[in-house]
């Protein structure tokens, strides 16, 4: 099937302004949640030891947060601008960056999730060997995933580096894969960078669920339990967020008649919905860590107390003034005292 001009606003744009602004509001929520949540995750893990988990898992958490921040900056932010402007207004450079960023960061995200589940399973299966795993090795592993994800991008550049378009269905830029060679090359890339890592995530997560069940019966160490539950939830939310798009892709390749019509509900509105649903994974990790990692909750609580303390410090009376409470009362009296005096007479 020959794909039509997806940049045609008349055919594929949102003509209902209320619907378009609602969708823009949803993307603004994704953007702000990711910026605040993922930045907090990085600060907590890099400077405050907010994650008392195995150092390799903490490193992978950091790389996932960085990947989510890049998604928000390079994909979600341009989408918000396009929705508000009802067209692409950020120029040709950002159009190419956005098109390649979606393709690249999707691969990075999936590979990092696969690393997280596989690493956690290895740590549980081989506890003695895992003691020698350092944070540096975790960074090398994650760095390899970032580099490996460049292969599909280099392949696209080699075939046709300008083969991208602004898609009015989703209000972002995407690669078109219109060259005939993609009929042979794309299934290989999908198998290597999507199917195999996804199967690995499902298999390792299922194994972790089995271990978690037996671990719960024995009442194991709480820190190890936190790591298991955290990894399972991160993987589960990721799989659920991409499930609708996976269904969309398989139906698209199935040759169904309704899937061949570019103006059908399936190709327009359902396409728009499933591609927006993927971004749930971008903001979910902050809430997962807040729920499952006790040390991260403690960090958030301490941060809140520090903010409250700084706010109350601005309300401390100037020198020479003392706030004194009478015993067994809630009333407060203001008295003048000498400089250097901190006592109150009740």
């Amino acid at each position: 099937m020959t794909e039509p001009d997806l940049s045609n606003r008349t055919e594929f744009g949102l003509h209902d302004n209320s619907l378009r602004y609602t969708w823009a509001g949803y993307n603004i929520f994704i953007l702000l949640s990711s910026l605040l949540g993922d930045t907090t995750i990085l600060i907590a893990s890099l400077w405050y030891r907010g994650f008392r988990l195995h150092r390799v898992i903490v490193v992978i958490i950091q790389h996932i947060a960085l990947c989510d921040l890049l998604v928000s900056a390079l994909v979600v932010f341009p989408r918000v601008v396009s929705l508000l402007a009802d067209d692409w207004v950020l120029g040709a450079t950002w159009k190419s960056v956005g098109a390649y960023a979606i393709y690249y960061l999707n691969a990075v995200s999936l590979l990092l999730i696969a690393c997280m589940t596989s690493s956690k399973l290895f740590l549980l299966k081989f506890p003695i060997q895992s003691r020698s795993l350092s944070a540096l090795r975790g960074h090398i592993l994650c760095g390899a995933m970032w580099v490996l994800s460049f292969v599909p991008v280099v392949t696209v550049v080699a075939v046709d580096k300008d083969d991208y378009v602004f898609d009015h269905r989703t209000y972002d830029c995407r690669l078109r894969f219109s060259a005939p060679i993609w009929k042979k090359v794309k299934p290989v890339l999908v198998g290597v960078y999507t199917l195999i890592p996804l199967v690995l995530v499902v298999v390792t997560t299922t194994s972790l669920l089995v271990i978690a069940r037996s671990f719960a019966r024995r009442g194991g160490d709480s820190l190890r339990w936190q790591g298991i539950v955290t990894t399972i939830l991160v993987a589960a939310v990721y799989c659920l967020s991409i499930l609708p798009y996976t269904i969309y892709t398989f139906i698209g390749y199935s040759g169904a008649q309704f899937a061949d019509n570019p103006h059908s509900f399936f190709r327009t509105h359902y396409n728009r919905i499933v591609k927006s649903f993927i971004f749930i994974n971008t903001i979910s990790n902050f809430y997962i860590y807040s729920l499952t990692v006790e040390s991260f909750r403690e960090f958030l609580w301490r941060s809140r107390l520090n903010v409250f303390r700084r706010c109350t410090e601005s309300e401390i009376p100037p020198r020479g003034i003392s706030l004194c409470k009478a015993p067994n009362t809630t009333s407060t009296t203001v008295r003048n005292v000498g400089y250097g005096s901190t006592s109150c007479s009740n």
Side-chain angles (χ1 to χ4, degrees), residues 88-130:
W88 182 261
V89 294
L90 295 177
T93 300
W94 206 324
K95 179 184 288 189
S96 62
V97 170
Y100 283 100
I102 295 176
Y103 191 51
Y104 174 63
L105 294 174
N106 282 342
V108 173
S109 179
L110 178 54
L111 291 179
L112 288 176
I113 298 295
C115 282
M116 189 177 193
T117 56
S118 302
S119 298
K120 189 59 188 177
L121 186 61
F122 177 84
L123 295 175
L124 294 174
K125 289 288 188 179
F126 306 99
I128 297 178
Q129 293 85 336
S130 65

Side-chain angles (χ1 to χ4, degrees), residues 10 23 48 64 85 93 103 119 153 170 177 193 217 242 260 271 280 289 322 335:
T10 303
W23 195 27
Y48 292 97
I64 292 175
T93 300
Y103 191 51
S119 298
V153 175
T170 54
F177 302 102
Y193 285 91
R217 291 176 178 175
I242 68 170
D260 289 336
N271 176 287
I280 295 295
Y289 304 149
S322 175
R335 301 183 58 190

Side-chain angles (χ1 to χ4, degrees), residues 103-281:
Y103 191 51
Y104 174 63
L105 294 174
N106 282 342
V108 173
S109 179
L110 178 54
L111 291 179
L112 288 176
I113 298 295
C115 282
M116 189 177 193
T117 56
S118 302
S119 298
K120 189 59 188 177
L121 186 61
F122 177 84
L123 295 175
L124 294 174
K125 289 288 188 179
F126 306 99
I128 297 178
Q129 293 85 336
S130 65
R131 295 175 184 173
S132 62
L133 295 178
S134 63
L136 177 60
R137 292 189 178 184
H139 284 295
I140 293 174
L141 174 64
C142 293
M145 298 302 103
W146 288 88
V147 174
L148 190 61
S149 299
F150 262 115
V151 174
V153 175
V154 173
T155 305
V156 173
V157 173
V159 174
D160 187 354
K161 64 183 179 64
D162 297 322
D163 190 21
Y164 52 82
V165 65
F166 174 68
D167 190 348
H168 257 294
R169 297 175 303 178
T170 54
Y171 281 81
D172 56 21
C173 299
R174 59 183 290 268
L175 300 174
R176 297 179 58 184
F177 302 102
S178 58
I181 193 175
W182 286 118
K183 292 182 179 180
K184 297 180 179 180
V185 176
K186 191 175 180 181
V188 176
L189 293 177
V190 170
V192 173
Y193 285 91
T194 302
L195 186 59
I196 293 177
L198 195 56
V199 170
L200 181 62
V201 169
V202 173
V203 171
T204 52
T205 303
T206 304
S207 301
L208 287 173
L209 283 170
V210 174
I211 295 175
R213 183 179 178 183
S214 61
F215 202 76
R217 291 176 178 175
R218 296 197 307 266
D221 178 59
S222 61
L223 290 180
R224 187 176 298 179
W225 174 252
Q226 290 178 43
I228 295 173
V229 176
T230 300
T231 304
I232 290 174
L233 286 179
V234 169
V237 172
Y238 178 84
C239 291
L240 289 175
S241 67
I242 68 170
L243 179 61
Y245 182 70
T246 304
I247 296 173
Y248 171 84
T249 303
F250 277 111
I251 294 177
Y253 282 118
S254 68
Q257 185 175 1
F258 68 90
D260 289 336
N261 183 3
H263 300 92
S264 65
F265 175 87
F266 177 78
R267 285 292 184 182
T268 55
H269 297 292
Y270 184 74
N271 176 287
R272 185 177 293 126
I273 293 170
V274 299
K275 289 184 178 179
S276 296
F277 196 72
I278 293 176
F279 293 118
I280 295 295
N281 171 67

